[in-house]
Every structure is written in structure tokens, then in C-alpha cells.
């Protein structure tokens, strides 16, 4: 319809991560962010999750461009997968695009058109005008968007917080949000990550004094762990190292890459004469060393985990201090707990969020969310970037500052939101599943595969194999293959009994019955399932194989 | 050695749960608590974990008795499994023993000697005298122990908190701890669960006002979820229901059982005329109903989850209020998050720890831990009941109040602590693994089984099957069975190629080579692993089966 703008969130509305929103007009489609999400611990073998972009692929000729708000993986990490299926120019700030380039190179994707923008710039794309507005977040060069459309102005907050003393001195562009509010905003889309937290988020700078005290009291080496993309956090650690006369080494591939990029582009102050490579660390007295490292989520293959288990060039030893300076992503509590316990066992001292003030969130708390609402004064409001409960809490905050509840939409992935002549409503929905990625090679693991995996993992698997001749006589087997079922010794007698059951079963079947291979398989399956259930109260997956010679 | 007392923790020192401690003298062995632990989310198919009691089984003739501090599963839940291998009289307070009896009955264990004790009682057992001392915790009838031994007095705190206004009015016996301290305590063993938390724990009663406000503002039904063993919490909800004119229904098998037991024994005030069964709830106006339910950890088969997904007699609907009044056990964050999101999607209102003051811990915080140390003034101190980092923090607290660091031992499961003539030292260690329980029938799943399960779950499994005749000629197959590997469509071509590879491989082998079945299997495995790795960058478990006719 002429003048209609359709917003379709493909990710990030109903989960933490894989943020992605389509803005569709008659003239084209603009994609805002294309992130990934980390899998739950109960999704075995899944490396990451991205939005289903089938809708976009079917309309790829309409795709006018991809606009990025900042360089975090939950906003850009889906692109290496999506750019195999669609292509379009990508717009973002300098740091965002450089981080993306690096990532794409790993996947062998080099031919991508990128257009650098600065906060304050505007571009025309797919029938809308998109304006980039500076916000504060845990990575430099983050922007919100004002999307000027035929239906009215949409403000998209990106990920933001109100940091009054940001590490890079670049305060969020409050003035522009105020102007937009004065001129009239039809719809605000705003970051819900911390909508459950009352008050104001502490400034990134606010953790400096506590970190300073830890540095002052540490006699051994200091290992500081955070996300490789948390450039402001890394900057603070660099300043602390300089202040306390420690050389800086970097561990972990993504940390090395990001630090190099951020320094090269001027987003990170890291003087050459303060750095040392990991080998050089060994020749320095412990009190002269700080190692910046990945692994803040307890990932078993991260530099921190490897250093804690002697599987790395450097080892963490008694007397060392480890600072885990990051939020715990839900689902990773156990893994982080394990690494902390392990470090204490080694005799290292460990500081982490639960016991020390060593992390500040990059996302706005409730009072800041109210500020964004009060500045932009939108007619309509849709909370974005959060699990469902966080969207609900954000909706209540909006109601609390006076937006009528009929003008607040809690939308979810796949919902189609229509904007027209100053009105906004839910117009339908499209399929928007999650795509589970297993390795670089596979395009997406289906639900069946994941269900089988969980099933095998929970109960183990037994595969009885028989070979029948043309007369239906058993000529080889039954053989029994089992995995993940019972401990080795415990199985032997049980499997012998199971074999006898199968032999009896086959003997009791006529030649005609045995010609129906599926029926034979089904009989064996049923018999064995009943047998294992009764005998050992267990329900392994039973997959009979019947072969003919 | 004459006069020596040996303490051997078999569980709870280095993990949260499965608490169990042996006290061994020349005359016998006393077991203190025998708990279970919940598995991590990355232990597929494991239902629960208990300590390895091999050491005890080998010395079962010395076993004089089992002493229980309270009725929580992490203190008594291992007994149904252990009592199959050892037997001894069990000592505990009334509620503890009754809860245990109920649990044992489920496992068909009825012939157990139980001796009820009261706080203040003393018993002689295995060469020591054990005194029961009242403490506060989240379940009534909890006790600490003073163990009077030839080597000196040991105080074992059990699980405790200093609740100045306990729900049952029974304050912790501060006087007795003070007397013991005055008379001289050789060793204190004390609960480390909350050693990372500064200050004092809030009283169980302190959450009443906030719950009261939730009840006052709720117009629909209220579903209150907590642990079935949190009798004090249940008591408060009963009082609130009575105050606000709501009938009480109970959902969830363990909740029904525990409420019945606690009421029958007089630990829970629950007047008959306030209760209603689940069917009766349907005929009452929503504002007249409170349902007490299990499921506070988001367990998929709990009453709360079932009610939220229409799989139960009762359904949670728009307008209902759900209160999740329990701590989140680490590892369960994702599951709880899922159920909360789901409830919001239904239109229910949800209160939980993150956003409302609806839970108070049953374990002492740092200042209470100091109080226990200051009252008992032990010569030696060993932190118990906690992950390693919590033991470390508790050790530091002890150092902070003036216990010399050489008198503080951070012991772990399996350590043998020797007490003799007023001295205490680490004397060695015994094997103390965890036993992983899968179902009621199996005694313990080994590491191999768990590793196979994780491996299958992560990468999937492919089983190629060939049948050879006496000349080594292929007479049936290759058949390929695969599970959890690739999505169905994606596999077809790949498996055909794999079959061809196997045929080529067999054709290239001589008759003699093919007589070595293991060698044939190994060749097939190597070939297919290389093939899958190269072709789809994937490493499924490959288990070749070669059969002869």
C-alpha cells in the first residue's frame, strides 16, 4: 500500500541476542542489524543461532541496504551466514564496519560494499531516510537511528545507556533525541535488556576505583578477562596497567584482533612501549605484568580456561590475580563458577561480579529507559531487544510515564507491524524461526536432529542388527551396538538376553511376515523397548537394522 | 590410633549439594548427612548425583549410625541409594525422619531403624557423643551438632542462619553455642553457602510485607511456587491466603506429601476449612484461590510448568498471578527464564527474585558466619557445604575474625582430617568420586557413558553396516544408520557417496585382510571420518559394524 511502512522483527524480540529488524516500504527493504545468539547449554553441538531470513531471501531484489547500530556479535554476527544468501550495501560507523570486515574475512567473504557513516549523517535508502545518532554503549561508535518514513518518524535506540562520564568522552546526543521528540516521533523502538533493573546504570567509569584498588593490592600477575568487543573496559585496564607500571600482553585470538583494530583506528589508547608479547611476559617479574584475555564466560577453549589448565603458553599460578570483568550471560553460570573454583584451587585470587564491583552494564536501566521515552515522546512504543518478560517490563515503564496502553505493542519475532498515516498496528505475522548453526559447513540443524541428539544423550542408544537370508532365516547376528546406555560391565548379560529375545521373536514369525522388513524392525523395537524398560527402567533409543542377503 | 578421630567428607566440600561427612574412631564410623546433588545441564540423562561410598561399604561393619541435620534432599536424598549397600540406625528430629520415611517408602525400603531425637538431646555412637542443637534454616526441626570426641569437641553447623524472627518462633540456640565456645571447641565445621554475601541474611519473615502487597493487589488466582521442603515459606503463604480470604489448593506430588507430613506433625498450620482440592478450585471465583505449587526451578515436568502449558487439570490464564518464591539453583537460570517468559505470554503477572523481594535465603551471610565463629571460638576451622570458591571466602572470613591461617584447613571431598590430642591436620585422602544416577534402576553411570552421550549429542552418530561372506565378498550393505547428524534431506547424497567409498575400500582389500574384522572396521571408520570432515566439516561418531555369514 502506498505510504505504508512495515516493520518486521526477525530476531531479538523474545530472546536476548540475534537482533534483526526489517523496514519495508514500497520502494525497498532496509535491514537493521543482523546478529547471532549463543545456544542454551541444552542444545548439544549447536555453535550459534541466527534468525531465519527466508522472508528476506524471497524478496532479495527489494533489499536496499543493511544498517548496523554497533559492532557487537548480537548485532553483526549473523552477517557471515546471511551474506551467502543475500547481498546489499552495508552502512555503519568506522569501528563497526572494520570489525565486520575482519569477521567476514574469516569466512572468505571479501566482496561486500560498505559505506561508512558518522553520527549525525543521514542516508536515503529503500524509501526512508535514516539518520545516525550517537549513543553510549560498551563499545565505541554506537548509534541509534531516526528513520524518517512517509508514515512518520521512527526512533530505534540500538543498544544504549546514558553514560554521563563515558570513557571516550562522547556523551549520547541528548539534544538530537530532544529535537526529534519536539518535532514528533510516531514510534519508539527501545532496548529492553535491563528493563528489570531499577534506577540508573552505573557509568562505565564508576568501576575504575575498585579496579584501581585491586591493582594496588596485587603482588603477582594480573589477568583481566572481558569480552573482546568491550573496548571501553579494555581501555580502562590499559590505563590501570600504565598507572601501576605493568606491561600489557593480550591473550585470545578475538581479543588480539579487536585490540589491533581499535588501536589502529584510534579508538583505543595503547602505547607501543607498554605492550609485550606472551613470551615476553615470562621474562618479566610478576608484578610488572597484566594480561588482557578472553574467556569471561568460562568457555572451555578460551585463553583464560587454557591458561588455568596449563594448556597454554602462559599458566595462571599461585599468587596471580584474575579479574572477570563482564556480565554473566544467562546459561553460563555453571561454566564461570567452574573456572572460578579452579582458579582458587590453583591459589590464584579471583574478583568477579558477585563479590566485587568489577563490571558495569552497557544497557540502560529503568530510569534511563524513562528518559529515552520522555525525550522522544513517541505516539507509539514497541520494546525491542529482550526476552519476553523484559519486553513486558519495558511496556509497563512506558505506561508508567504516560503512554496510553493501547499505543504500546508487545511484538515478537515475525510480527508484521504496519505504520500508516500516523497510525501503528499489528498487521499479521510471518514465520520467523531460529536457525541453529552447527559448524561453518551446515546451513542449519533442524529440530529433528536436535531432538534426536537430546534423546540419544539423555537415554543412550541401542542398535540391534540381524541378517536374514531369502527364506527369512537368521544367517548373522543378532549383533548389538550400544552407546551411552549402561556402563560396560553392566551391559553384557543384558545384551545376551536381548539377543535371545530377538532370536525367539524371529523364530516365531512366518516367512511371509519376515519379508516385511519394516514390520520386523518394528517388532524388534517394541520388544526391546519393553525389555529394557522392565529390566533396567531405562528407555534407550532402539534402532533395529534388518539386512537381507 | 588410640584417641584419634578422623573426619572424611565424602560430599559437599567443593560442590553445592550431596553433603556427607564420616566421623571415624577406633570404635566405629558415624555418618553425618547423606545428600544428593542435582546434575549440571550438560550432563544428559543424569537424574541426580550422590557421593561415592565405597570407603564406607568396605568398612560397613564399623558403621555405627547415620545422623541427619535436617530434611532437605541435599542432606538426606542420597539415603535411598546408600541404604541398599549399607545399613545402620538413623538419628534425626521428627520432621527429618518422617520426610525420610516417605522417601524410602517410594523406593520400597521399609526396614530401617530410626531413632527420633530432639534439640538438646545427646546420643553416644561409634565412640563419640553427639549433641543436637537447634538452628534456624528454611525447614523446621533443623539442628547443628556438637560432637564430643576423645580428641576434643567438634561443632558441625549443619545448614543454618541467624533468624531473629523465625516463622515458628524457635530461635537458634545461641546460648548453647556460647557455652560450647566457653568450654572449648577444637574444630568448627560451618556452612559456606552464602560466604560470598556481605551483611546479615534477611529474616524469613522479612518477605511477608511484599508478599502481602502482592496478595492485596492481585485480582485473579495466585499461584505460589517454592520448594516442597520450604515449610516456613509455605506457612507464610497459608497465612497470607487466610488473611486475604483465599482457599488453598496444593499442586505437585512432593508438595502434597510434604504439606501433609508437616501438617500432621504440627509443623504447619493449615486449617481444614481453608483447603480445597484442585477440582474444587475450578468452582471458586479466581480471587478466592491460592495454589501452592512445585516448579520453582522451571522443571519441565513440575506442576507449575504443566499448569503453564495446559498439560494439567488447572491452567494458568490471563489475569492470574504467579509468585516464584525460591532461590535460583545455579544452572537453572535458563529454565526459570523460559517459564517466566511463557507465563507473561499467557498474560499472567509474575513476581520473582530479580524484580521483587519474594525470597529470603535459609543460609547465613558473612556477618552470621562471623557470629558462629565468635560464639564457638574454635581452635581450628574447616569451611563445609559449598563450592571451592565459597570455602575460600569462608576461610578468609575466619581469618578476618582472628583465627590463625595455619589453623584453617580448606579440605575437599575425600580428604582425611585427623584430630588428635587437641591438634588437627590433613592426614591424606581417599578416592571420593561422584556417582551419577540415571533412573532408579542403575547404580551409577560411568564417565565413559557420559562422555559417549555428550559426544553423540554434540556431533551425532553414523553407523555403517556391511555383511561379508566367507570369501570376504560383500553380500549385504553397506547400510548407513545415522542419528543427530545432518537434517534429513541434506544427508541423502552424502550417504550414497559414503557407501561407494566403503565398497571401493572393501574391493581394494585382500581376502586375508578382510578376515581381520577389527582391521576392516578401523579402515571404514578412518575413511568415513576423513570423508565427513572434508565434505561437511563435521565429526560424527562413526561406529562401523562388520558381520559375517
Amino acid at each position: 500500500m502506498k505510504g505504508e511502512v512495515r516493520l518486521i522483527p526477525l530476531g531479538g524480540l523474545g530472546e536476548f541476542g540475534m537482533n534483526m529488524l526489517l523496514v519495508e516500504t514500497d520502494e525497498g527493504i532496509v535491514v537493521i542489524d543482523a546478529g547471532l545468539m549463543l545456544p542454551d547449554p541444552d542444545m548439544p553441538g549447536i555453535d550459534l543461532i541466527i534468525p531465519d531470513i527466508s522472508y528476506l531471501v524471497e524478496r532479495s531484489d527489494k533489499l536496499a541496504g543493511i544498517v548496523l547500530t554497533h559492532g557487537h556479535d548480537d548485532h553483526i554476527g549473523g552477517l557471515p551466514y546471511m551474506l551467502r544468501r543475500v547481498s546489499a550495501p552495508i552502512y555503519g560507523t568506522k569501528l563497526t564496519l572494520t570489525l565486520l570486515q575482519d569477521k567476514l574475512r574469516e569466512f572468505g567473504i571479501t566482496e561486500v560494499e560498505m559505506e561508512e557513516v558518522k553520527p549525525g549523517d543521514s542516508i536515503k535508502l529503500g524509501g526512508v531516510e535514516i539518520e545516525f545518532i550517537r549513543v553510549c554503549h560498551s563499545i565505541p561508535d554506537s548509534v541509534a537511528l531516526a528513520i524518517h518514513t512517509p508514515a512518520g518518524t521512527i526512533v530505534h535506540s540500538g543498544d544504549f545507556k546514558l553514560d554521563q562520564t563515558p570513557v571516550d568522552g562522547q556523551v549520547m546526543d541528548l539534544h538530537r533525541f530532544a529535537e526529534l521528540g519536539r518535532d514528533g516521533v510516531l514510534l519508539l523502538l527501545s532496548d529492553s535488556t535491563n528493563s528489570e533493573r531499577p534506577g540508573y546504570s552505573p557509568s562505565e567509569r564508576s568501576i575504575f576505583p575498585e579496579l584501581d584498588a585491586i591493582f594496588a593490592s596485587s603482588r603477582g600477575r594480573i589477568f583481566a578477562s572481558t569480552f573482546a568487543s568491550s573496548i571501553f573496559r579494555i581501555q580502562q585496564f590499559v590505563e590501570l596497567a600504565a598507572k601501576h607500571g605493568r606491561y600489557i600482553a593480550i591473550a585470545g585470538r578475538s581479543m588480539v584482533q579487536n585490540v589491533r583494530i581499535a588501536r589502529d583506528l584510534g579508538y583505543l589508547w595503547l602505547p607501543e612501549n607498554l605492550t609485550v608479547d606472551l613470551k615476553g611476559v615470562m621474562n618479566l617479574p610478576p608484578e610488572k605484568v597484566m594480561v588482557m584475555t578472553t574467556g569471561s564466560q568460562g568457555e572451555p577453549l578460551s585463553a583464560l580456561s587454557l591458561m588455568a589448565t596449563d594448556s597454554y603458553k602462559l599458566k595462571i599460578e599461585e599468587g596471580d590475580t584474575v579479574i572477570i570483568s563482564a556480565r554473566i550471560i544467562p546459561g553460563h553460570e555453571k561454566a564461570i563458577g567452574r573456572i572460578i573454583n579452579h582458579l582458587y584451587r590453583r591459589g590464584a585470587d579471583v574478583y568477579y561480579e558477585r563479590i566485587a564491583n568489577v563490571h558495569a552494564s552497557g544497557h540502560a536501566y529503568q530510569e534511563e529507559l524513562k528518559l529515552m521515552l520522555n525525550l522522544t515522546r513517541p505516539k507509539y512504543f514497541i520494546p525491542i531487544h529482550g526476552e519476553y518478560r523484559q519486553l513486558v517490563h519495558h511496556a509497563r515503564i512506558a505506561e508508567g510515564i504516560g503512554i496510553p496502553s493501547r499505543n504500546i505493542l508487545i511484538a515478537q519475532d515475525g510480527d508484521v507491524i504496519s505504520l500508516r498515516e500516523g497510525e501503528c498496528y499489528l498487521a499479521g505475522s510471518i514465520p520467523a524461526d531460529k536457525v541453529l548453526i552447527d559448524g561453518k559447513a551446515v546451513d542449519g540443524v533442524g529440530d529433528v536432529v536436535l531432538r534426536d541428539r537430546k534423546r540419544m544423550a539423555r537415554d543412550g542408544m541401542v542398535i540391534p542388527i540381524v541378517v536374514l537370508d531369502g527364506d527369512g532365516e537368521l544367517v548373522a547376528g543378532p549383533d548389538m551396538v550400544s552407546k551411552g546406555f549402561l556402563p560396560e560391565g553392566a551391559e553384557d548379560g543384558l545384551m545376551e538376553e536381548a539377543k535371545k529375545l530377538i532370536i525367539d521373536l524371529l523364530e516365531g514369525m512366518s516367512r511371509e511376515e519376515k519379508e516385511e522388513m519394516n514390520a520386523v524392525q518394528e517388532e524388534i523395537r517394541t520388544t526391546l523397548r519393553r525389555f529394557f524398560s522392565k529390566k533396567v527402567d531405562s528407555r534407550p533409543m532402539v534402532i533395529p537394522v534388518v539386512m537381507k542377503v
Side-chain angles (χ1 to χ4, degrees), chain A:
Chain A
M1 292 187 284
K2 195 77 192 146
E4 187 196 15
V5 179
R6 289 145 60 93
L7 300 182
I8 308 175
L10 292 182
L13 274 71
E15 63 269 311
F16 177 73
M18 59 174 248
N19 298 294
M20 184 169 189
L21 175 74
L22 308 188
V23 181
E24 186 174 12
T25 69
D26 289 338
E27 294 176 42
I29 297 177
V30 176
V31 173
I32 298 174
D33 290 336
L36 61 76
M37 179 166 80
L38 296 177
D40 291 353
D42 62 353
M43 293 181 173
I46 306 301
D47 297 313
L48 52 96
I49 303 171
I50 58 171
D52 176 5
I53 59 164
S54 309
Y55 181 90
L56 188 62
V57 172
E58 287 160 21
R59 289 156 187 81
S60 56
D61 55 318
K62 280 190 77 181
L63 178 56
I66 299 167
V67 173
L68 304 176
T69 60
H70 61 283
H72 278 158
D73 268 348
D74 54 337
H75 292 257
I76 68 169
L79 282 171
Y81 303 90
M82 297 177 194
L83 291 178
R84 294 173 180 173
R85 304 181 66 195
V86 294
S87 69
I90 301 176
Y91 301 82
T93 54
K94 187 157 66 173
L95 181 61
T96 306
L97 292 184
T98 316
L99 289 171
L100 175 63
Q101 244 158 8
D102 227 56
K103 196 174 289 292
L104 293 178
R105 202 174 300 126
E106 276 177 52
F107 284 77
I109 304 174
T110 48
E111 301 285 301
V112 177
E113 189 187 338
M114 295 198 184
E115 293 275 349
E116 188 185 315
V117 295
K118 288 192 176 56
D121 286 356
S122 278
I123 55 170
K124 286 198 171 156
L125 205 64
V128 299
E129 186 180 347
I130 297 179
E131 185 189 341
F132 297 85
I133 309 169
R134 182 182 299 286
V135 290
C136 297
H137 187 41
S138 44
I139 187 168
D141 245 11
S142 295
V143 291
L145 308 171
I147 309 166
H148 303 285
T149 79
T153 297
I154 303 165
V155 172
H156 182 299
S157 74
D159 282 355
F160 82 103
K161 73 184 283 188
L162 169 69
D163 196 334
Q164 312 259 22
T165 53
V167 170
D168 64 354
Q170 304 277 5
V171 178
M172 161 180 176
D173 191 350
L174 296 162
H175 303 76
R176 186 57 193 142
F177 287 106
E179 284 167 12
L180 287 163
R182 186 198 55 203
D183 297 343
V185 169
L186 175 62
L187 169 65
L188 170 66
L189 308 161
S190 181
D191 176 10
S192 310
T193 309
N194 277 334
S195 65
E196 294 168 309
R197 295 199 184 184
Y200 290 90
S201 70
S203 167
E204 173 66 27
R205 269 292 180 210
S206 72
I207 61 171
F208 194 88
E210 184 136 347
L211 293 175
D212 197 23
I214 296 171
F215 270 70
S217 66
S218 294
R219 297 283 157 266
R221 291 174 303 183
I222 292 177
F223 293 83
S225 172
T226 188
F227 287 107
S229 59
S230 295
I231 305 298
F232 291 137
R233 190 64 45 83
I234 297 170
Q235 181 65 76
Q236 296 203 77
F237 279 110
V238 168
E239 292 173 18
L240 284 159
K243 178 176 171 187
H244 292 273
R246 289 175 182 262
Y247 287 89
I248 299 152
I250 316 282
R253 201 173 53 90
S254 58
M255 183 70 81
V256 170
Q257 275 180 351
N258 285 9
V259 163
R260 177 179 50 70
I261 291 172
R263 176 156 81 169
D264 289 354
L265 298 182
Y267 291 96
L268 181 71
W269 170 78
L270 174 58
E272 201 68 59
N273 63 349
L274 287 180
T275 62
V276 61
D277 62 15
L278 291 175
K279 227 164 124 192
V281 164
M282 328 259 197
N283 303 322
L284 285 168
E287 72 276 12
K288 289 284 173 207
V289 172
M290 179 192 76
V291 180
M292 273 311 314
T293 174
T294 51
S296 64
Q297 301 305 303
E299 309 93 321
L301 297 179
S302 65
L304 181 63
S305 293
L306 297 176
M307 288 189 287
T309 53
D310 293 348
S311 321
Y312 202 72
K313 290 161 258 183
L314 266 181
K315 297 176 205 341
I316 299 179
E317 295 165 344
E318 183 157 3
D320 288 338
T321 296
V322 179
I323 306 171
I324 297 176
S325 180
R327 74 171 285 216
I328 299 177
I329 296 183
H332 293 250
E333 295 80 0
K334 272 276 174 185
I336 297 173
R338 267 195 284 257
I339 185 92
I340 294 173
N341 288 329
H342 183 78
L343 290 166
Y344 273 121
R345 280 206 176 86
R346 298 222 127 188
D349 213 352
V350 194
Y351 296 89
Y352 46 103
E353 201 180 5
R354 193 177 167 94
I355 62 156
N357 187 25
V358 295
H359 174 64
S361 174
H363 298 270
Y365 286 15
Q366 289 176 354
E367 294 303 311
E368 296 155 89
L369 298 176
K370 291 178 194 168
L371 184 70
M372 178 61 87
L373 284 154
N374 278 323
L375 279 173
T376 54
R377 295 192 293 210
K379 181 172 174 189
Y380 291 95
F381 173 65
I382 297 178
I384 60 171
H385 301 177
E387 297 188 31
Y388 196 82
R389 65 178 184 277
Q390 288 147 353
L391 305 181
V392 170
H393 284 285
H394 203 174
R396 289 183 185 171
I397 289 166
E399 227 179 306
I401 67 119
I403 305 214
S405 62
R406 66 179 176 280
N407 286 7
I408 301 170
L409 275 69
I410 299 185
Q412 298 183 64
D413 296 345
D415 281 345
V416 177
I417 300 139
S418 180
L419 299 169
R420 226 181 154 222
E421 292 172 2
E423 300 295 321
C424 170
Y425 55 94
L426 206 65
S429 68
I430 62 158
D433 286 340
K434 295 177 174 67
V435 178
L436 313 179
I437 302 287
D438 174 2
K440 280 186 193 175
V442 185
D443 270 338
V445 169
D447 286 346
V448 176
V449 171
L450 191 63
R451 206 179 52 220
D452 282 349
R453 286 183 177 181
K454 287 189 185 186
R455 177 77 209 287
M456 286 194 293
R458 200 180 55 226
D459 303 315
M461 168 188 262
V462 176
I463 302 168
I465 308 163
V466 295
V467 183
L468 306 179
D469 68 11
D471 296 329
E473 292 300 314
L474 185 70
V475 289
D479 270 22
M480 308 288 284
V481 175
S482 92
K483 276 285 160 190
F485 178 36
L486 298 182
E488 261 182 50
E491 272 186 1
D492 300 349
L494 194 73
M495 289 304 172
E496 286 312 311
E497 271 192 77
K499 284 181 191 176
K500 283 200 197 90
L501 276 179
I502 296 172
I503 293 170
D504 291 349
L505 178 76
L506 291 172
E507 279 175 2
M509 292 177 89
S510 69
R511 186 178 158 173
E512 290 69 41
E513 285 175 312
K514 280 190 275 195
E515 263 165 25
E516 287 291 326
M517 308 265 277
N518 287 341
V520 178
Q521 285 177 1
E522 197 45 45
E523 282 290 327
I524 295 176
R525 191 198 322 272
T526 314
T527 305
L528 289 194
R529 285 172 75 161
R530 206 178 301 131
F531 171 67
F532 292 130
S533 170
K534 200 176 145 194
K535 200 81 184 178
V536 288
D537 193 17
S538 203
R539 280 151 206 82
M541 215 168 186
V542 177
I543 308 175
V545 178
V546 179
M547 300 174 82
K548 292 249 163 152
V549 291

